[in-house]
Each structure stands twice: as structure tokens, then as C-alpha cells.
Amino acid sequence: MSKKILIVDDSPAQRKLVKVTLESKGYEVLEAENGAQGLELLSSDLKLIVCDVNMPIMDGVEFVEKIKSSGNYQFLPIVMLTTESQTAMKEKLVAQGIRAWITKPFSMDQLLSSVSKLVV
């Protein structure tokens, strides 16, 4: 069974960079360009979500709120990968259950370290 990860980010370049990095380590990757698309791609075989905060249509905050209020996905680990660095925003999302916060720009080693700790 593959380890499937969903990337939710409005930047095609950012999604590609993260996808290539994760696929090089054997992960299967799905992509969404906003939270609304991300909700459509939720499935029981997902192991992790990597999500941006600032996106059109549905931002990362609303996306996380919807996932964490769902009985099916409330324990699915989420890593926020974002330019957002406001302490209040980070505290709000951590309180909702996100498992890691990585601020852009970031290193691939930082991303892979967080992912490997959360995907078992």
C-alpha cells in the first residue's frame, strides 16, 4: 500500500517542487490548487496533507477547519507550508490540530523530516 499525500497550494511551481521531492522518496502525491479542490480529493487512504494558508476560493484556515470538524478526517496529519508567519495564525491552526508548521522559503530536508515523522 502506497503512502499517499495531498498537496494543497495555489502555486503550481510550489506544488511541483513538493511533489517531485516527495515522489523521490516513494510517496504517491495528489495535488489541489485550493481548499475546495482539496476537500474533493480527500480519501481514506491519505496519510498526510501539506497545505498552504493563503489561497483563493478556500484558504488553508477554512480547509483545516472543515477537515478537523469531520469525523472521517479529524486525525489526518496536516503540515502547513506557508509564507504566513503570524503567531496568532499559527497558534489558531495548531489549536485545531495541525501537526507541523514550515515557513517558506524552506529546505527540502525540513519538509522530508516533518513528513517522515508523521507518515507511518
Side-chain angles (χ1 to χ4, degrees):
M1 183 173 164
S2 73
K3 295 180 178 180
K4 192 181 292 186
I5 296 175
L6 172 62
I7 303 167
V8 184
D9 195 311
D10 61 324
S11 166
Q14 191 69 49
R15 286 195 315 268
K16 183 168 181 74
L17 178 64
V18 173
K19 180 178 182 173
V20 167
T21 299
L22 293 174
E23 286 179 341
S24 75
K25 298 299 182 185
Y27 296 103
E28 180 182 346
V29 178
L30 301 176
E31 297 179 64
E33 61 185 47
N34 59 61
Q37 280 187 356
L39 290 176
E40 293 174 9
L41 293 175
L42 289 178
S43 65
S44 60
D45 59 346
L46 277 178
K47 301 299 182 193
L48 179 87
I49 297 172
V50 177
C51 185
D52 191 9
V53 172
N54 300 308
M55 298 177 286
I57 302 173
M58 181 187 293
D59 67 15
V61 175
E62 185 179 354
F63 178 69
V64 168
E65 288 171 350
K66 289 188 180 296
I67 290 173
K68 294 303 180 179
S69 66
S70 164
N72 295 332
Y73 303 106
Q74 66 185 6
F75 299 112
L76 183 61
I78 300 174
V79 173
M80 300 309 288
L81 181 61
T82 181
T83 58
E84 189 67 54
S85 61
Q86 292 182 11
T87 303
M89 175 77 65
K90 182 176 179 181
E91 289 172 352
K92 176 180 181 177
L93 289 167
V94 167
Q96 290 180 347
I98 66 150
R99 302 290 299 276
W101 187 281
I102 302 171
T103 304
K104 298 174 188 175
F106 64 99
S107 73
M108 289 301 125
D109 288 340
Q110 187 180 16
L111 174 65
L112 290 170
S113 175
S114 293
V115 168
S116 68
K117 290 175 185 171
L118 296 169
V119 176
V120 284

